[in-house]
């Protein structure tokens, strides 16, 4: 096999694999930019996956399923938003609970559908015009699901909204210094609610991709830690939507290569690689943060109460 | 200028009342602010100045009373409504997003900024405001890289661009150098000359005297006096109104009297070639002190603009940070040398006391009771500690006597320290740190934000500590304070001691220039 064919195939598979990571990590970037950390990504993805599958199976339409997946993720995040923003409970504990709840609930809901394939799953398509680009075409724009192309688009949209609109400015300010936003006569909580809900919506879509397109079926353990990797991805990308795409491709390539090279290396070692990479990424970002004042939104994980500094 | 009698006040407050549990923060305050007027609101800490300003800005809803704005009834439910009417606030603690640029911070204050690229449309308006008032700002600079004076400029420009006709400034000069204060006053004068109004909240009599057209003095939430510049403002008169009694003779006289005794005292704190490297750049140290000695009974003032090595100096003396090179000796030996390093504990045991800059975050543990905060410094020693156990009765006994001795206003010794006012938190810190006669006292901005009474009390405590033989290192940006308390003054600029002089010979102008890094 030619090297460039191998590279193209690896990138294409990496992108397919990374799609749910991209959706979930973009959602987390938006939520965390508003200052609310949500460790419930894994749970929201599971809820999205099972709800999406159930609805698509019942209605026979994957697009209804996808809408349901997004709404299910959003419903999970609404719970987190209420506990962490309105009740001002510890966001980390609340997020972890959401993961537990989402995993348990999805297993319960999904009992009737375990092991049944989706009759009419999402189909792969090519992007007109872009598919003919040399190298980039076969890498990114051929034979993927619509959700994959949409993830790339969503990253660009999220970037434009966050960094070049007034709404994005307010959202980022809420995550950095909610007191300043309050003093400017704007409201902190609605912004945080919106960010967390959008985060849930995107995580749910990421889950839906798994059960409607990537592996059109439902089984317990389907999300299998992707939510946690998405969280690490958000941090590794320094809370920047465009870097999420690059980092997501890198993570995806790790998994893909692990699968491809399993005849050369012990597969256990290779399937471990992405997780080890995650740890290294976290170490690296923590180290960089110390040195260059990079990093997390200033008010991340801190509930806002007027009158506190 | 004196407003004419028939002129309508721009803002008028009648019987404003605000009660918090156990406190009457505002007790029926009346206030009239006229166009073209700088109206100073003078008062001690806890007099209700900040609460009153929050009422005017819509951050706090009054329990009773009414407001009118240019003749119409004014009811504010949020700052947004205040901004819409033309009320701007420059708070004591800036409401800026540090990691955003100046332009982004300005755009945040504009509900009518366009959705796409909100910062772009602001640039012409920013330039216009900058030219009109002489407030130069780089819109692309990140706020975290700006000095406190520049940050304040951002806040002022924000309010001006929002079309403020009444600018409320809460303790605006506390973070500024003398030159910056002059520049600020020039801007404010230009602003009122256009017919706008300024409410200037302060406890600094000298500034009020210079700037204000009218003065309202608050004490314990009530108006205790009004003065007008047209009738002449007298500093003593204002101080008496504010404090409710005549201030004792200035500390300066007593401070100077001790000078002779000091020369004989032993050197208790000695810094030799201490260097503290800024992270990642050893070639440009954040602090490089060739040598600094403080004798017992002596107060050495460190003057300088924040960020010129003061915090590093304080950190190495207090043991919060190890110097990159050089030695810090207390009573002739290095604390903790030859033993395993335990950081600040070595310094505590060697008799170094710290009155830190950030009272509420570094000085006390806000959620712990007053009693426990008072015991923190010596919690590892008798009588508070018996082996690994804490003797709570000893802690309680100690706190009772400390609260009395230092006149700490607290509902009980079990009250969490965060519920105390700034002045009382400082008293808790002083009571703890000056207990057991420390050999070296490091006091950083000890009277920042304190009212006149608490300030003079703090000064007396520090002088008393020196009188008992402590070497006192006083870090302050308040030149008057440094000059009146210190025996010697050392000026830090760019991490180096650029000048040292006897306080009696020091000329404020020369000091100001040295602080600004201009070679004398």
């Amino acid at each position: 096999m030619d090297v460039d064919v191998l590279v193209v195939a690896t990138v294409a598979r990496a992108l397919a694999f990374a799609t749910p990571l991209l959706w979930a990590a973009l959602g987390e970037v938006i939520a965390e930019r508003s200052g609310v950390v949500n460790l419930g990504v894994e749970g929201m993805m599971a809820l999205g996956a099972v709800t999406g599958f159930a609805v698509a199976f019942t209605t026979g339409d994957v697009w209804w399923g996808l809408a349901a997946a997004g709404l299910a993720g959003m419903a999970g995040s609404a719970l987190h938003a209420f506990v962490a923003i309105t009740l001002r409970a510890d966001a980390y504990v609340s997020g972890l609970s959401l993961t537990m709840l989402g995993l348990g609930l999805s297993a319960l809901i999904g009992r009737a559908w375990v092991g049944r394939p989706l009759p009419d799953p999402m189909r792969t398509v090519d992007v007109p015009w872009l598919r003919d680009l040399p190298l980039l075409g076969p890498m990114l724009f051929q034979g993927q699901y619509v959700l994959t192309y949409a993830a790339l688009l969503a990253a660009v949209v999220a970037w434009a909204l966050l960094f070049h609109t007034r709404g994005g400015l307010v959202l980022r300010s809420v995550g950095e210094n909610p007191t300043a936003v309050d003093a400017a006569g704007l409201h902190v909580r609605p912004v945080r609610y919106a960010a967390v809900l959008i985060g849930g919506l995107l995580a749910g879509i990421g889950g839906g991709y798994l059960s409607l397109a990537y592996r059109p079926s439902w089984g317990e353990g389907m999300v299998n830690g992707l939510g946690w990797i998405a969280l690490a991805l958000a941090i590794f990308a320094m809370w920047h939507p465009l870097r999420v795409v690059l980092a997501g491709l890198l993570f995806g390539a790790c998994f893909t290569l692990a699968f491809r090279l399993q005849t050369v290396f012990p597969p256990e070692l290779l399937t471990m690689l992405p997780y080890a990479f995650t740890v290294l990424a976290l170490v690296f970002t923590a180290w960089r943060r110390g040195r260059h004042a990079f990093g997390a939104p200033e008010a991340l994980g801190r509930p806002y109460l007027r009158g506190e500094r | 200028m004196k407003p004419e009698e028939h002129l309508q006040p721009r803002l008028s407050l009648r019987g404003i009342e605000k009660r918090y549990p156990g406190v009457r923060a505002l007790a029926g305050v009346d206030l009239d602010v006229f166009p073209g007027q700088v109206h100073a609101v003078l008062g001690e800490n806890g007099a209700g100045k900040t609460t009153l300003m929050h009422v005017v800005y819509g951050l706090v809803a009054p329990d009773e009373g009414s407001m009118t704005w240019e003749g119409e009834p004014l009811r504010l439910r949020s700052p947004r409504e205040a901004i819409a009417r033309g009320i701007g606030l420059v708070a004591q603690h800036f409401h800026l997003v540090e990691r955003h640029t100046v332009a982004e911070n300005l755009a945040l204050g504009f509900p009518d900024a366009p959705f796409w690229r909100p910062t772009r449309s602001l640039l012409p308006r920013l330039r216009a405001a900058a030219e009109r008032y002489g407030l130069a700002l780089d819109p692309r600079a990140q706020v975290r890289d700006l000095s406190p004076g520049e940050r304040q400029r951002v806040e002022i420009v924000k309010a001006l661009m929002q079309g403020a006709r009444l600018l409320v400034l809460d303790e605006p000069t506390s973070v500024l150098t003398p030159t910056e204060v002059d520049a600020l006053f020039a801007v404010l004068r230009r602003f009122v000359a256009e017919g706008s109004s300024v409410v200037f909240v302060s406890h600094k009599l000298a500034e009020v005297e210079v700037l204000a057209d009218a003065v309202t003095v608050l004490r314990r939430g009530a108006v205790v006096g009004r003065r007008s510049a047209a009738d002449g403002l007298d500093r003593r008169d204002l101080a008496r109104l504010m404090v409710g009694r005549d201030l004792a003779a200035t500390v300066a006289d007593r401070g100077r009297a001790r000078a002779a005794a000091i020369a004989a005292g032993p050197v208790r704190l000695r810094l030799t070639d201490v260097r503290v490297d800024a992270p990642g750049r050893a070639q440009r140290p954040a602090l490089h002190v060739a040598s600094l000695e403080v004798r017992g009974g002596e107060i050495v003032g460190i003057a300088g603009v924040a960020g010129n090595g003061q915090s590093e100096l304080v950190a190495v003396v207090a043991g919060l940070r190890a110097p990159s090179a050089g030695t810090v000796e207390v009573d002739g030996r290095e604390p903790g040398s030859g033993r395993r390093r335990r950081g600040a504990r070595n310094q505590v045991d060697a008799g170094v006391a710290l009155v830190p800059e950030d009272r509420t975050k570094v000085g006390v543990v806000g959620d712990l009771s007053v009693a426990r905060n008072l015991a923190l410094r010596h919690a590892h020693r008798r009588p508070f500690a018996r082996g690994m156990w804490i003797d709570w009765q000893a802690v309680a006994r100690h706190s009772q006597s400390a609260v009395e001795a230092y006149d700490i206003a607290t509902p009980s010794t079990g009250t969490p320290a965060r519920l105390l006012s700034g002045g009382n938190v400082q008293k808790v810190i002083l009571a703890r740190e000056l207990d057991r006669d420390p050999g070296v006292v490091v006091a950083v901005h000890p009277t920042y934000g304190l009212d006149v009474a608490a300030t003079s009390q703090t000064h007396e405590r520090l002088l008393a500590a020196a009188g008992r033989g402590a070497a006192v290192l006083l870090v302050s940006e308040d030149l008057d304070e440094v000059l009146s308390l210190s025996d010697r003054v050392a000026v830090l600029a760019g991490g180096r001691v650029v000048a040292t002089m006897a306080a009696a010979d020091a000329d404020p102008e020369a000091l100001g220039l040295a602080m600004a890094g201009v070679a004398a």
Side-chain angles (χ1 to χ4, degrees):
Chain A
M1 206 192 298
D2 284 336
V3 173
D4 56 339
V5 171
L6 181 69
V7 168
V8 164
T10 303
V11 173
R13 291 315 300 154
L15 184 61
F17 182 86
T19 300
L21 292 177
L22 294 185
W23 282 107
L26 283 174
E28 188 66 13
V29 163
I30 291 169
E32 293 198 6
R33 278 281 181 177
S34 83
V36 186
V37 68
N38 186 352
L39 297 188
V41 180
E42 181 87 1
M44 295 187 295
M45 288 178 79
L47 282 175
V50 73
T51 314
F53 185 84
V55 170
F57 195 92
T58 314
T59 63
D61 187 340
V62 287
W63 301 108
W64 279 116
L66 186 64
L71 287 178
M74 207 184 221
S77 70
L79 197 64
H80 176 67
F82 179 70
V83 174
I85 302 171
T86 303
L87 302 183
R88 293 194 297 271
D90 188 300
Y92 293 88
V93 175
S94 166
L96 279 174
S97 314
L98 176 57
T99 284
M100 307 287 190
L101 180 73
L103 291 177
L105 200 60
S106 61
L108 184 69
I109 297 171
R111 267 190 190 166
W113 285 284
V114 171
R116 302 172 70 171
L118 192 62
D120 189 15
M122 205 174 281
R123 311 205 179 282
T124 58
V125 291
D126 292 356
V127 182
W129 192 71
L130 287 177
R131 58 159 293 161
D132 301 325
L133 288 174
L135 220 54
L136 277 182
M139 271 184 190
L140 303 178
F141 301 113
Q142 285 179 17
Q144 307 276 11
Y145 299 100
V146 173
L147 275 182
T148 303
Y149 307 127
L152 297 177
L153 187 66
V156 176
V157 170
W159 166 77
L161 287 176
L162 273 179
F163 293 101
H164 294 285
T165 68
R166 183 176 156 67
L169 173 65
V170 172
L171 191 149
R172 286 184 295 127
S173 303
V174 164
E176 291 283 339
N177 185 354
T179 315
V181 175
D182 198 9
L186 304 166
H187 299 290
V188 171
R189 287 183 191 180
V191 176
R192 289 192 160 174
Y193 259 93
V196 171
L197 290 178
I198 291 171
L201 175 75
L202 300 195
I205 291 176
Y209 172 85
L210 293 174
S211 67
L212 301 173
Y214 195 66
R215 268 172 296 188
S217 62
W218 163 255
E220 214 182 313
M222 167 167 248
V223 180
N224 196 21
L226 286 178
W228 298 111
I229 297 188
L231 274 166
L233 189 56
I235 298 168
F236 183 61
M238 302 280 186
W239 295 271
H240 195 292
L242 297 183
R243 284 196 289 254
V244 162
V245 174
L246 292 179
L249 279 176
L250 199 66
F251 280 33
C254 278
F255 279 95
T256 312
L257 285 176
F259 180 73
R260 278 188 173 247
L261 303 180
Q262 61 184 318
T263 49
V264 191
F265 296 112
E268 289 82 4
L269 198 70
L270 283 162
T271 46
M272 191 194 74
L273 188 69
Y275 296 95
F277 196 77
T278 302
V279 174
L280 282 179
L282 283 170
V283 170
F284 179 71
T285 42
W287 177 71
R288 294 262 295 182
R289 184 159 41 181
R291 291 270 153 150
H292 298 283
F294 251 101
E298 204 63 38
L300 185 61
R302 288 213 312 266
Y304 178 64
L305 183 61
R306 183 182 279 182
E308 283 188 352
R309 287 204 301 274
Chain B
M1 94 185 65
K2 190 186 180 185
E4 294 168 37
E5 294 305 323
H6 63 268
L7 210 58
Q8 184 187 41
R10 171 155 284 136
L11 175 73
S12 165
L13 275 57
R14 286 291 172 270
I16 296 292
E17 180 101 17
K18 181 69 194 177
R19 290 175 294 266
Y20 291 111
V23 195
R24 206 167 164 212
L26 294 173
V29 173
D30 295 350
L31 184 74
D32 287 310
V33 184
F34 290 89
Q37 188 186 53
V38 176
H39 195 121
V41 174
L42 191 65
E44 297 190 293
N45 253 50
K49 291 172 303 192
T50 299
T51 309
L52 187 62
M53 293 313 112
H54 284 177
V55 168
V56 170
Y57 194 58
L59 279 167
V60 169
D63 296 327
E64 277 166 48
S66 63
M67 297 192 278
T68 55
W69 174 255
E70 294 175 345
E72 288 172 21
L74 178 70
R75 282 186 64 86
L76 299 171
R77 276 160 309 199
S78 80
R80 187 170 213 156
E81 295 181 0
I83 294 166
R85 302 285 181 121
I87 301 172
L89 173 72
V90 177
Q92 191 175 2
H93 304 275
F94 302 135
H95 294 146
L96 296 173
V97 182
E98 300 239 323
R99 275 207 299 229
H100 288 179
T101 63
V102 168
E104 282 177 320
N105 269 286
L106 293 173
L108 189 61
F110 282 90
D112 59 335
F115 185 75
W116 285 103
R117 316 277 309 268
T119 55
R120 200 167 44 170
S121 69
L122 293 176
L123 296 180
R125 288 157 87 178
L126 174 61
R127 261 194 298 276
E131 272 168 32
R132 188 154 150 209
Y133 296 102
L135 293 159
L137 278 175
D138 175 7
R140 280 179 302 271
Q142 287 218 324
V143 167
R144 63 168 174 199
D145 297 329
L146 301 182
S147 73
E150 290 170 312
R151 289 174 195 215
Q152 185 179 64
R153 221 177 290 161
V154 178
E155 289 279 37
I156 293 174
V157 168
K158 185 161 78 181
L160 294 180
M161 287 172 63
Q162 282 165 343
R165 277 167 294 159
L166 172 74
L167 197 54
V168 178
L169 297 107
D170 194 356
E171 305 279 359
T173 59
S174 50
V175 294
L176 302 182
T177 62
T179 346
E180 285 175 325
V181 170
D182 291 341
L184 171 68
F185 284 6
V187 169
L188 295 182
R189 287 204 184 92
R190 211 168 309 170
F191 184 62
V192 295
E194 294 175 350
S196 299
S197 313
V198 167
V199 174
F200 184 83
V201 176
S202 181
H203 59 250
K204 291 188 183 162
L205 299 168
E207 290 168 359
V208 168
E209 211 176 29
V210 169
L211 187 69
D213 300 309
V215 183
T216 295
V217 186
L218 286 185
R219 191 175 350 129
R220 293 206 193 106
V223 176
V224 293
R226 297 173 210 283
R227 295 290 183 269
S228 160
D231 307 333
L233 297 173
D234 174 50
R235 211 182 287 197
R236 276 182 183 282
D237 169 51
L238 290 175
R240 199 161 38 232
L241 278 177
M242 182 161 68
V243 186
R245 63 181 166 84
D246 275 310
L247 279 179
T250 56
V251 285
D253 310 328
R254 276 171 292 158
R256 304 263 155 80
R258 298 171 302 124
I262 296 155
V267 173
R268 301 203 73 166
L269 173 68
R270 173 181 283 130
L271 277 72
T272 313
D273 215 19
V274 166
R275 205 187 75 222
V276 177
D277 292 340
R281 31 176 156 149
Q283 70 280 10
R284 197 169 152 262
L287 177 72
H288 199 154
V289 178
S291 166
L292 187 66
E293 288 179 357
V294 188
R295 291 177 180 273
E298 186 183 33
I299 298 181
V300 171
I302 303 291
V305 178
N308 277 283
Q310 291 95 326
S311 51
E312 286 81 5
L313 176 66
V314 169
V316 291
V317 174
L320 301 174
R321 197 163 162 179
S324 310
T327 56
V328 176
E329 287 169 280
V330 176
D331 289 331
R333 64 179 197 87
E334 281 187 79
S337 60
R339 287 182 290 152
R340 67 197 167 94
R341 288 204 60 85
R342 290 179 304 182
R345 173 74 65 84
N346 294 321
Q347 247 73 5
V348 169
D349 289 339
V352 178
L354 173 66
V355 180
E357 176 176 9
D358 191 338
R359 263 164 236 153
T360 49
K361 286 194 189 129
V362 181
V364 292
V365 181
D367 287 332
L368 287 188
S369 67
V370 169
R372 291 181 185 197
N373 271 295
L374 283 166
L376 270 184
R377 176 175 151 86
H378 290 297
H380 61 294
R381 295 219 303 235
R382 281 179 169 276
F384 302 141
R386 297 182 176 207
M388 59 181 285
W389 306 105
I390 297 280
D391 181 350
W392 293 114
Q393 285 182 341
V395 171
R397 276 195 303 276
H398 171 73
S399 68
Q400 281 301 342
S401 62
V403 163
E404 277 165 35
Y406 280 78
D407 192 24
I408 300 167
T410 173
S412 80
T413 56
T415 306
R418 68 183 152 82
L419 296 181
L420 269 52
S421 73
N424 283 300
V425 168
Q426 188 71 323
K427 286 181 195 171
V428 170
I429 295 168
L430 286 168
R432 180 184 68 214
E433 296 296 324
L434 300 183
D435 182 36
R436 304 193 195 188
D437 288 339
V440 173
V441 178
V442 183
V444 190
H445 305 313
T447 59
Y448 177 89
L450 297 188
D451 56 61
V452 174
T455 297
S456 88
Q457 208 175 22
T458 304
H459 286 167
E460 280 165 28
R461 296 287 180 193
L462 290 175
L463 283 169
R468 289 194 299 271
V472 179
L473 196 62
L474 170 71
V475 179
S476 177
E477 283 181 43
D478 184 344
L479 267 188
D480 291 338
E481 175 172 85
V482 168
L483 288 175
S484 69
L485 279 187
S486 310
D487 304 297
R488 281 192 299 135
V489 180
V491 180
L492 269 185
R496 286 170 191 275
V497 177
V498 293
T500 318
M501 57 196 94
D505 312 332
D507 163 27
E509 202 163 316
L511 271 181
L513 288 175
M515 280 167 71
V518 180

